[in-house]
Amino acid sequence: PFQEFLLQFGYLQKPLEQLSDDFSKEEIADALRSFQLASGLPTTGQMDKATLSQMRQPRCGVEDPFNERTLKYLLLGRWRKRHLTYQIYNHDEDLGVVATRTAIQRAFKYWSDVTRLTFQEVRTGRADIRLSFHGSSPWGCSRPFDGPGHVLAHADIPELGTVHFDADEHWTEGTSRGVNLRIIAAHEIGHALGLGHSRHPTALMAPSYGGYRPRFQLHHDDIEGIQALYGKKTPSTTATVTSPARTTTPVLSLKPSKVPNPCKDGLDAIMLGPYDKTYAFRGDYVWTITDFGPNPPLKVSALWKGLPGWLDAAVYSPRTGRTYFFKGTKLWRYRGFKLDPGYPKPLTRIPAKIDAALYWPKNKKIFIFKGTGFWQWDELGSYFSTLPRKISTLFTGAPSHLDAAFTWENGRVYLFKGKNYWRLNDQLRVERGYPLNTAERWMHCTGPCTVSSPSTFECQERLAEQHVIALCVEQSHALA
């Protein structure tokens, strides 16, 4: 087992032509001496209890290519600019959103306090440094973690910009219990900025986690290393790490939304959901669409208790009988109208604020859309496409940057954007004659004022008042 450790963290190097992991006694002794030197242990070259204990300490997943000539810092790369953006894709469930974000902000501040670097959190677009939590599953991370303990996090050197934390760890702040997120995040950010591991056991960039320190400060080796890359801080340098996140899209109001008019307002999401009803979502409201047109909107929380409004996407899976709701960095899952235990959960394999989602019965997968790309997800299997594909490669003639999407009871896929919708056949090609107007065709907002073809939402309300009341009562009982 200790040979696996020495291989994993760079103390033993297997030549390409070497097919087995058999090393000579001299090679193993040299590797042990190098590890013992870096750990402040007697350099005996022999495996003993102290050496084995040190190998079992929680640590960073990056290799230990120490500077062999001196005990000084090791530089692995640098960014070609001094103002860097970062994005936090999900949060730790124990700490929550605010505490996770605060810990990472403070981690960046260690480096901006001593250099000419500035950092800015962003919510959209591609950031320079991207931070997320992943577990032992290979989905979303090419180097899966090993469960609680041992490897806590890892990062890539410039200018790759990925920083991953082990979601199975108990991340904390202000206590010696668990693992301090602020200190580990600062360590991994050091790698993302170009620093290697330090041979000083008390340095931030030491490979092993030294535990919680209330008044933690950077070691002189940390400071000299980062300043060798980016220079010393000057009075004119201002770090923006604690400023509000920059966003290129309007932030949705947290105030209650007005009751939407299905004939005038667009869609946040749409799905063929429980009890084979078609549910349309806008703001804090949801309404069902029938042959008479749309029923009066109801509060989303009146149907799915605990579910917020202003959803990004909604999708019902007839395969499992579960409904999935996406908003920001979170996922809600319901069976019928009851929230499953443990939800909401953070999104870990896809970016926040997706555009739409649908269930495709031909391959029994859920398709998730954002921008010009899409992912495929098998709920019951281990399949999840780690990289998005272009929408145009599978959905021929379809638009990008969707508002909503779903597969209806006729087996056709419908994509919604703006005031229009597109219908796709079973080969996922847009059918001739599309797009068409959503308000006219789905909400029945034009034509003579009759029960079968109401001309406006208000007209439809008058004609089907008793029918609507009955439907609302039926839904309320079903959702209780």
Side-chain angles (χ1 to χ4, degrees), residues 27-48:
E27 289 175 317
I28 294 174
D30 287 343
L32 284 172
R33 275 191 287 268
S34 181
F35 173 73
Q36 290 164 341
L37 176 64
S39 304
L41 300 172
T43 54
T44 62
Q46 301 293 320
M47 176 55 68
D48 51 36

Side-chain angles (χ1 to χ4, degrees), residues 132-145 164 348-350 376-387:
S132 56
F133 292 80
H134 298 271
S136 55
S137 167
W139 297 343
C141 179
S142 60
R143 292 178 288 169
F145 288 104
H164 291 168
T348 57
R349 305 169 201 158
I350 56 174
Q376 291 188 63
W377 172 36
D378 183 346
E379 303 166 85
L380 302 182
S382 59
Y383 179 77
F384 194 102
S385 54
T386 55
L387 295 176

Side-chain angles (χ1 to χ4, degrees), residues 60-76:
C60 171
V62 177
E63 290 186 2
D64 299 341
F66 296 107
N67 192 322
E68 295 296 333
R69 291 175 295 176
T70 70
L71 289 179
K72 293 179 66 175
Y73 50 81
L74 179 66
L75 307 181
L76 302 177

